[in-house]
């Protein structure tokens, strides 16, 4: 994720947290953190899962690691004064975690961005005590993401272009672990055992709820919206957004626009 992507997350923090609430609930339930445990939150971003894990782990500790200084600045400000939470700037693929003995490694969408995924998951296993748990959420493939496909197809149709392929092979990116076989083989190659890759479909509140206009604004500034509409002239962009509004309207509920999202809930043991 580049700094523009990080800025979108920081600027829309509450929206992302409302949108991903069902995903985080599934993650924390799978992680089954017990009081006194030591937890590592990888690609912790602005720290929501780190802080929520800390509430479960107390009197244990949670360390959040991330490569983005901007994300960590927000995370540290939110955790100020909490002795049970530490944030570390580093690449989780290579960072030497001290002490190397956490009970639980978890992540909400933070483990798909490694240059060498096997090396990264080896490093995380080494940071975990024998028998310790890994629980994380990663995206399934784009075709399992109506929350992106419905507005994406509407905008692309209006623009007369193909829907951009956000799944760019096996390289680092949102969909790098979308293939179940690949996700499983990366973990096994990295020495994790009892690997379970469970498909979970959640009704996502697009952009965290509100009006159709709120959802459109959120999507316009996200990765797909930027890829489709940055550089497009004003009138054409307005026509494309009108198509997106029309496509989202049938999915509107009292709390906002809801469309399904497909994720993997992955569990393993060191
Ligand atoms: C999609 S965001 C998710 C953030 C957070 N887990 C959440 O759910 O709010 C992915 C995060 O992973 C971080 N990241 C990407 N590559 C990383 C790496 N190699 N080591 C540590 N963090 C990384 C990014 O900076 C970003 O904050």
């Amino acid at each position: 994720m580049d700094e523009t992507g990080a800025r979108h997350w920081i600027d829309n923090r509450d929206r992302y947290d409302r949108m991903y609430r069902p995903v985080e609930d599934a993650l924390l339930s799978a992680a089954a953190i017990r009081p006194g445990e030591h937890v590592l939150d990888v690609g912790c971003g602005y720290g929501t899962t780190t802080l929520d894990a800390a509430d479960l782990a107390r009197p244990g500790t949670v360390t959040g690691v991330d490569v983005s200084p901007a994300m960590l600045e927000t995370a540290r400000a939110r955790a100020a004064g909490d002795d049970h939470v530490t944030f570390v700037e580093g690449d989780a693929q290579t960072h030497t975690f001290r002490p190397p003995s956490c009970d639980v490694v978890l992540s909400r969408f933070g483990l798909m961005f490694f240059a060498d995924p096997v090396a990264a998951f080896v490093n995380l296993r080494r940071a975990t005590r024998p028998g310790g748990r890994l629980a994380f959420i990663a995206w399934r493939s784009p075709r399992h993401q109506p929350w992106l496909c419905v507005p994406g197809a509407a905008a692309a149709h209006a623009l007369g272009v193909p829907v951009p392929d956000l799944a760019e092979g096996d390289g680092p990116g949102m969909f790098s672990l979308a293939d179940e076989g690949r996700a499983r083989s990366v973990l096994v190659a990295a020495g994790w055992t009892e690997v379970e890759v469970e498909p979970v479909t959640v009704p996502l509140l697009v952009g965290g709820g509100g009006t159709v206009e709120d959802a459109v604004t959120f999507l316009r500034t996200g990765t797909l919206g930027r890829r489709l509409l940055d550089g497009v002239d004003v009138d054409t962009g307005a026509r494309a957004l009108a198509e997106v509004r029309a496509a989202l309207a049938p999915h509107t509920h009292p709390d906002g626009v809801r469309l399904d999202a497909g994720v993997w809930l992955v569990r393993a043991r060191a």
Side-chain angles (χ1 to χ4, degrees):
M1 171 186 278
D2 59 16
E3 276 303 298
T4 311
R7 184 41 61 194
H8 191 258
W9 276 71
I10 293 165
D11 292 345
N12 291 280
R13 190 180 95 203
D14 292 342
R15 290 194 166 278
Y16 273 111
D17 282 346
R18 287 198 298 273
M19 184 159 101
Y20 292 149
R21 189 71 245 173
V23 169
E24 186 183 344
D25 289 346
L27 172 65
L28 292 178
S29 167
I33 297 165
R34 296 184 286 267
E37 287 193 315
H38 300 290
V39 180
L40 179 61
D41 182 5
V42 184
C44 63
Y46 49 56
T48 294
T49 44
T50 325
L51 297 173
D52 290 345
D55 288 341
L56 299 167
R58 248 173 267 280
T61 60
V62 184
T63 301
V65 61
D66 204 287
V67 280
S68 164
M71 288 281 212
L72 288 171
E73 189 184 336
T74 304
R76 287 192 176 111
R78 296 175 74 197
D82 189 336
D83 294 342
H84 298 267
V85 178
T86 308
F87 289 103
V88 173
E89 184 180 329
D91 181 342
Q93 181 178 313
T94 51
H95 186 81
T96 304
F97 293 100
R98 296 186 197 286
S101 59
C102 70
D103 300 292
V104 182
V105 175
L106 63 78
S107 183
R108 183 180 79 171
F109 298 128
L111 293 176
M112 297 93 78
F113 305 96
F114 297 122
D116 183 341
V118 173
F121 280 99
V122 166
N123 196 39
L124 295 175
R125 181 176 53 72
R126 289 192 179 130
T128 312
R129 69 162 170 77
R133 291 144 12 239
L134 170 68
F136 70 92
I137 297 281
W139 291 108
R140 298 187 71 192
S141 64
R143 70 191 167 84
H144 292 100
Q145 315 304 338
W147 71 282
L148 281 178
C149 294
V150 168
H157 178 258
L159 296 168
V161 299
V163 180
D165 184 9
L166 294 181
E168 292 163 290
D170 287 346
M174 182 175 171
F175 293 109
S176 69
L177 295 177
D179 181 82
E180 179 185 358
R182 180 162 198 264
R184 195 179 288 282
S185 66
V186 164
L187 288 177
V188 170
W192 291 89
T193 61
E194 299 177 36
V195 176
E196 290 174 44
V197 183
E198 180 191 345
V200 175
T201 300
V202 292
L204 212 74
L205 203 47
V206 180
T211 63
V212 171
E213 205 51 48
D214 288 325
V216 170
T217 302
F218 176 84
L219 290 165
R220 166 65 187 92
T221 50
T223 306
L224 185 59
R226 293 196 306 272
R227 287 272 290 273
L228 274 164
L229 290 167
D230 280 4
V232 168
D233 71 79
V234 175
D235 289 346
T236 310
R239 271 200 305 280
L241 291 180
E243 294 262 350
V244 171
R245 258 177 231 112
L248 294 181
H251 305 282
T252 305
H253 298 264
D255 52 353
V257 175
R258 277 191 188 275
L259 280 161
D260 280 350
V263 301
W264 297 121
L265 173 57
V266 183
R267 280 173 268 224
R269 271 193 194 273

